[in-house]
Amino acid sequence: MILHKFKNQSDLDRAAADLIISMVRAKPNAILGMATGGTPVGLYQEIVKTYQAGLVSFAQAKTFNLDEYVGLPVTHQESYRNFMQRNLFDHIDIKRENTHVPDGNAADVDAECRSYDRMMFEQGPVDLQLLGIGGNGHIGFNEPDEHLSRGTYKVTLKQDTREANKRFFNHIDEVPTHAVTMGMGTIMQAKTILLVVKGAEKAAILDATLNGPITTQVPASLLQTHPRVIVMTDCDVDYKVSF
């Protein structure tokens, strides 16, 4: 792992955006793994600024999103397809057919999961996967559990995850109880992983991710086994390398 610490979130957003932009400049047909939630909004804004300045094109790039709520209409303000359109896709020159988000409204969700993995296998691997981290250590919607799934699957969201996401809804009852998410095996196939962690309240779980034991109770800790992980944070956490 490579750890970069920043004094403020604006500098962090710029650095994270620059890493993604550099990937696309070096490889115009790059495959990018995208994330949603509060963490990537600022870095997406920085990407849009760079595109609008004429300094990067996404015309050949492809994206695969980590996850999507089950049963939430695509037109809903908080669906992850809607989120990506509002915050990024509608403001750059990426082709709609090259942006992929799991279909949480598929008639057969299990078949949709298999199809999503198959499409990633055929077009991938992902060159750079962007990740945030939940307060309980989940990445994507891979929640702490005795076992973690390898491929894309339907997951029951834990109550603390729903509580964390209720800020995006009017009431906790509106927060979906299930989601479709890439499994840990799918995520770990990415060539490079960019983990962005913001806020002092995430310091403890980031420390567990970087320095704690590798355990399914902290799904993000499995990133310790990946050959290329770049961590960008404004948390006061150190990576304690030991041999």
Side-chain angles (χ1 to χ4, degrees):
M1 290 184 174
I2 302 171
L3 175 63
H4 298 282
K5 295 196 289 186
F6 298 85
K7 294 181 179 179
N8 56 67
Q9 293 187 5
S10 60
D11 288 349
L12 192 166
D13 286 334
R14 185 67 252 174
D18 284 344
L19 183 63
I20 295 171
I21 290 164
S22 295
M23 170 65 71
V24 176
R25 284 174 175 159
K27 185 180 180 182
N29 63 342
I31 298 177
L32 305 173
M34 312 308 285
T36 54
T39 296
V41 171
L43 70 90
Y44 288 160
Q45 291 172 346
E46 293 298 326
I47 289 173
V48 171
K49 289 178 185 177
T50 303
Y51 166 74
Q52 291 176 340
L55 299 176
V56 66
S57 172
F58 293 84
Q60 299 179 53
K62 295 180 180 179
T63 64
F64 285 90
N65 261 73
L66 280 168
D67 42 29
E68 177 60 285
Y69 287 120
V70 169
L72 203 64
V74 173
T75 54
H76 192 285
Q77 183 78 359
E78 297 306 328
S79 82
Y80 288 160
R81 164 57 77 175
N82 191 310
F83 174 98
M84 292 305 302
Q85 295 299 142
R86 287 186 289 108
N87 287 285
L88 184 62
F89 296 157
D90 285 347
H91 309 290
I92 59 177
D93 61 345
I94 196 166
K95 298 175 182 176
R96 171 76 182 226
E97 61 267 27
N98 285 343
T99 63
H100 306 288
V101 181
D103 183 1
N105 293 290
D108 186 335
V109 174
D110 289 337
E112 166 65 12
C113 293
R114 293 192 297 271
S115 175
Y116 201 69
D117 276 339
R118 184 167 55 252
M119 184 165 47
M120 291 188 66
F121 177 78
E122 292 171 350
Q123 299 187 32
V126 168
D127 291 295
L128 189 153
Q129 175 67 60
L130 172 64
L131 297 176
I133 187 173
N136 63 4
H138 74 246
I139 51 177
F141 274 126
N142 292 281
E143 300 278 24
D145 206 339
E146 293 299 318
H147 306 282
L148 296 176
S149 294
R150 176 187 177 193
T152 301
Y153 68 108
K154 179 180 177 180
V155 60
T156 300
L157 301 179
K158 291 189 178 295
Q159 188 61 25
D160 53 356
T161 295
R162 295 182 68 234
E163 287 287 345
N165 285 357
K166 75 177 182 181
R167 69 188 188 277
F168 300 117
F169 296 82
N170 294 320
H171 192 274
I172 184 64
D173 292 341
E174 296 181 9
V175 183
T177 58
H178 294 82
V180 173
T181 184
M182 288 184 196
M184 288 301 303
T186 306
I187 291 170
M188 296 288 281
Q189 289 175 2
K191 295 178 182 178
T192 297
I193 290 176
L194 170 59
L195 177 64
V196 176
V197 184
K198 295 179 177 178
E201 69 279 5
K202 296 285 183 74
I205 195 62
L206 178 57
D207 182 64
T209 296
L210 296 175
N211 302 308
I214 299 171
T215 170
T216 60
Q217 296 302 323
V218 181
S221 68
L222 272 70
L223 296 178
Q224 294 180 36
T225 68
H226 192 280
R228 182 168 171 77
V229 178
I230 300 169
V231 182
M232 295 188 177
T233 186
D234 61 350
C235 298
D236 186 18
V237 173
D238 291 319
Y239 178 35
K240 304 174 180 68
V241 182
S242 60
F243 298 96

